Amino acid sequence: MTYTLAEEDYLKAIYKIAERHGTPVSTSAIAELMQTRPASVTDMLKKLADKELIDYKRYHGVSLTRTGARQATLLIRKHRLWECFLVDKLGFSWDEVHEIAEQLEHIQSDTLIDRLDDYLENPKFDPHGDPIPDASGAYRMRYQILLSDLGLHQPAVLVGVREHASSFLQYLDQNRLALGATLEVIEVLPYDGSVRLRLGDGEPILISGQVARQLYVRQTTESA
Amino acid sequence: MTYTLAEEDYLKAIYKIAERHGTPVSTSAIAELMQTRPASVTDMLKKLADKELIDYKRYHGVSLTRTGARQATLLIRKHRLWECFLVDKLGFSWDEVHEIAEQLEHIQSDTLIDRLDDYLENPKFDPHGDPIPDASGAYRMRYQILLSDLGLHQPAVLVGVREHASSFLQYLDQNRLALGATLEVIEVLPYDGSVRLRLGDGEPILISGQVARQLYVRQTTESA
DNA sequence: TTTGTACTTTAGCCCCGTCTAAATTCTTCA
DNA sequence: TGAAGAATTTAGACGGGGCTAAAGTACAAA
Ligand SMILES: [Mn+2]
Ligand SMILES: [Mn+2]
Ligand SMILES: [Mn+2]
Ligand SMILES: [Mn+2]
């Protein structure tokens, strides 16, 4: 019923890889995300399989069981709620909170996280725009597309980031690319796929195609 | 520069025992407080001595070095600030917070705890009346005596508890014995040392000598 | 001064989570 | 279809932190 820090982090890693690349999840993908060796991953996979948190067939990758998936989403819930706390209450910026939340998410207390949720007034999204599962583990995906897939002159709002590295988030800050910003693609440069944007009512800015593929936007009504 | 959870808890235990019973601190005292075996304590003492966090001579107990004591007080600072957060912001009661703070105190972040301190408006005492060290590790002891040592008809205020067990704190709640309560000893029963108190302006209550020896009070002016 | 007893340490073991090196299995392509 | 070559697992080790049982030390009482 209660899992170790390492077990929790593995479950979360498997969940995130499955979410992005589908199932089954390979040993090497887990090793890369967790910065460990594949041999270490194999060891842990056996333990998680013994506890029926994953379905594991040697040489064929893993997927989470219902129990494992539930545990992973509860951990993600805790991670994201703590990030909200750090940003909204303690004044951290969105590029500073990940490492701390990576620790805080493992605090074991049945009531703590629900009280924190109430204290924060039940936020639905974390500082990076990621949805926060409720106490039962359920959440709805926000409607979103990649900025790189947004049509020309389609008004849209920045709602999330695919990349969470500090350096990337700081780059966004420097270019006034904050969540909630309204934008519109003015031009896509054919040579390298760079994108020229109108941001709010300011001067147009230019971002690389690389960056455009890391930003999630929601289209707004034409007339907005 | 950064210590494991177990190392931190051992340093804190040594600090607390030394504070209450003086130095050197015995292996068995540590084992009892930490709920482990003396053999395990001996193993850890060797490691802490290697890292120069304690002075250790086989068979003769330990004391903290300057570095060790500093580390212990910083841990206590974190523990007590988190307890304030849990009580003041999340609405926990003082008997529910110890276990959670026991985990939260180990979160590693240079800035987190200082921001938390500011967010809580730099409290000087935790929910149990214990002083909170500042960022440099310094704190002043509150003036206090045991209720069992308070003279008859001396007006006083309840400022701290020596015992932190949930059952004890709940007992205090049930008898309206909260920190800050004004009180006065009306009578000490000679047979078993029980104490009759006037609490605020309510009816007198009777507490055992056992309980009276767990409560810290500060005398107030006669005219108060 | 000796000795009994309580306290402490050592020896040897265990589990967790990680690693390297070697062996195994899968897959792809000639 | 039969190797390479890549991915994965196994074998064996290690450090951290804990335990039991046995041995060593200190100290108080005789
Ligand atoms: Mn984590
Ligand atoms: Mn996030
Ligand atoms: Mn602790
Ligand atoms: Mn406290």
Side-chain angles (χ1 to χ4, degrees):
Chain A
M1 203 55 92
T2 183
Y3 304 103
T4 68
L5 185 151
E7 287 171 339
E8 290 187 334
D9 279 341
Y10 272 96
L11 291 175
K12 190 176 63 168
I14 294 166
Y15 186 92
K16 293 200 160 193
I17 296 166
E19 190 177 44
R20 193 171 284 201
H21 302 288
T23 200
V25 172
S26 74
T27 298
S28 53
I30 299 168
E32 190 197 338
L33 184 59
M34 299 202 56
Q35 306 271 55
T36 60
R37 297 304 179 154
S40 309
V41 174
T42 299
D43 287 344
M44 180 57 83
L45 294 184
K46 287 184 214 161
K47 294 170 197 166
L48 295 176
D50 285 348
K51 300 188 181 186
E52 297 185 49
L53 294 165
I54 59 173
D55 290 315
Y56 173 46
K57 240 182 71 191
R58 259 171 31 276
Y59 292 101
H60 294 283
V62 299
S63 59
L64 294 172
T65 61
R66 271 192 90 71
T67 311
R70 182 186 158 73
Q71 202 59 35
T73 53
L74 290 182
L75 191 69
I76 287 168
R77 167 175 163 78
K78 293 200 276 180
H79 185 102
R80 293 180 180 167
L81 283 172
W82 279 116
E83 284 189 344
C84 288
F85 170 70
L86 294 172
V87 168
D88 296 349
K89 302 297 185 182
L90 297 195
F92 282 90
S93 63
W94 68 342
D95 61 293
E96 300 173 314
V97 297
H98 185 77
E99 291 307 309
I100 302 175
E102 199 59 42
Q103 301 175 58
L104 285 165
E105 68 189 359
H106 302 288
I107 301 293
Q108 309 274 3
S109 165
D110 289 341
T111 53
L112 173 61
I113 205 65
D114 294 323
R115 295 215 188 188
L116 183 65
D117 193 15
D118 288 343
Y119 183 59
L120 298 170
E121 298 174 41
N122 314 107
K124 295 291 171 275
F125 299 97
D126 84 358
H128 308 103
D130 295 312
I132 298 174
D134 65 24
S136 75
Y139 62 95
R140 3 176 263 305
M141 267 322 278
R142 152 175 35 68
Y143 173 74
Q144 64 182 29
I145 61 175
L146 288 177
L147 173 53
S148 53
D149 296 329
L150 183 66
L152 276 184
H153 306 299
Q154 289 276 353
V157 178
L158 183 60
V159 294
V161 292
R162 214 172 115 90
E163 162 74 67
H164 285 62
S166 286
S167 56
F168 178 68
L169 299 177
Q170 284 164 14
Y171 163 87
L172 297 182
D173 283 341
Q174 278 155 24
N175 289 279
R176 307 190 337 277
L177 282 160
L179 294 190
T182 61
L183 52 83
E184 176 186 326
V185 175
I186 297 173
E187 178 186 14
V188 178
L189 305 191
Y191 174 62
D192 63 353
S194 293
V195 176
R196 191 178 308 280
L197 296 177
R198 178 174 308 284
L199 235 189
D201 49 6
E203 289 297 298
I205 65 170
L206 186 70
I207 64 175
S208 68
Q210 164 83 355
V211 167
R213 281 189 295 277
Q214 304 303 327
L215 297 176
Y216 291 118
V217 300
R218 174 170 48 79
Q219 289 173 256
T220 49
T221 61
E222 303 282 332
S223 55
Chain B
M1 203 56 92
T2 182
Y3 305 102
T4 68
L5 187 150
E7 286 170 342
E8 289 187 335
D9 279 342
Y10 271 98
L11 292 174
K12 190 175 65 169
I14 295 165
Y15 186 92
K16 294 201 159 190
I17 297 166
E19 189 177 46
R20 191 171 285 201
H21 304 288
T23 200
V25 172
S26 74
T27 299
S28 53
I30 299 168
E32 191 196 338
L33 184 59
M34 300 202 55
Q35 307 270 58
T36 61
R37 296 308 181 148
S40 308
V41 173
T42 299
D43 287 343
M44 181 57 83
L45 294 184
K46 288 184 213 160
K47 293 171 197 168
L48 295 176
D50 284 348
K51 300 189 181 186
E52 297 184 47
L53 294 166
I54 59 173
D55 290 316
Y56 173 48
K57 241 182 71 187
R58 260 174 25 279
Y59 292 102
H60 294 281
V62 298
S63 59
L64 294 172
T65 61
R66 271 191 91 68
T67 312
R70 183 186 158 70
Q71 202 58 36
T73 52
L74 290 182
L75 192 69
I76 288 168
R77 167 175 163 77
K78 293 200 276 180
H79 185 103
R80 292 179 182 168
L81 282 172
W82 280 116
E83 284 188 345
C84 287
F85 170 70
L86 294 171
V87 168
D88 296 348
K89 302 297 186 181
L90 297 195
F92 282 90
S93 63
W94 66 342
D95 62 293
E96 301 173 314
V97 297
H98 185 77
E99 291 307 308
I100 302 175
E102 199 60 42
Q103 301 176 59
L104 285 165
E105 69 189 358
H106 302 287
I107 301 293
Q108 310 274 2
S109 165
D110 290 340
T111 53
L112 172 60
I113 205 65
D114 294 324
R115 296 214 188 189
L116 183 65
D117 192 15
D118 288 343
Y119 183 59
L120 298 169
E121 297 174 42
N122 313 107
K124 295 291 171 273
F125 299 97
D126 84 357
H128 309 102
D130 295 312
I132 298 174
D134 65 24
S136 76
Y139 63 94
R140 359 175 265 305
M141 267 323 279
R142 152 173 38 65
Y143 173 75
Q144 63 182 31
I145 61 175
L146 288 176
L147 174 54
S148 53
D149 296 330
L150 183 66
L152 277 183
H153 305 299
Q154 289 277 352
V157 178
L158 184 60
V159 295
V161 292
R162 215 172 113 90
E163 163 72 68
H164 285 64
S166 285
S167 56
F168 179 67
L169 299 178
Q170 284 164 13
Y171 163 87
L172 296 182
D173 283 340
Q174 279 155 25
N175 289 279
R176 307 190 335 278
L177 282 160
L179 293 191
T182 61
L183 52 84
E184 177 185 327
V185 175
I186 297 172
E187 177 185 15
V188 177
L189 306 190
Y191 175 61
D192 64 354
S194 293
V195 177
R196 192 178 308 279
L197 295 177
R198 179 175 308 283
L199 235 188
D201 48 7
E203 289 297 298
I205 64 169
L206 186 70
I207 63 175
S208 68
Q210 165 82 353
V211 166
R213 281 189 296 278
Q214 303 303 327
L215 297 176
Y216 291 118
V217 299
R218 174 171 49 78
Q219 289 173 259
T220 50
T221 61
E222 302 282 335
S223 54

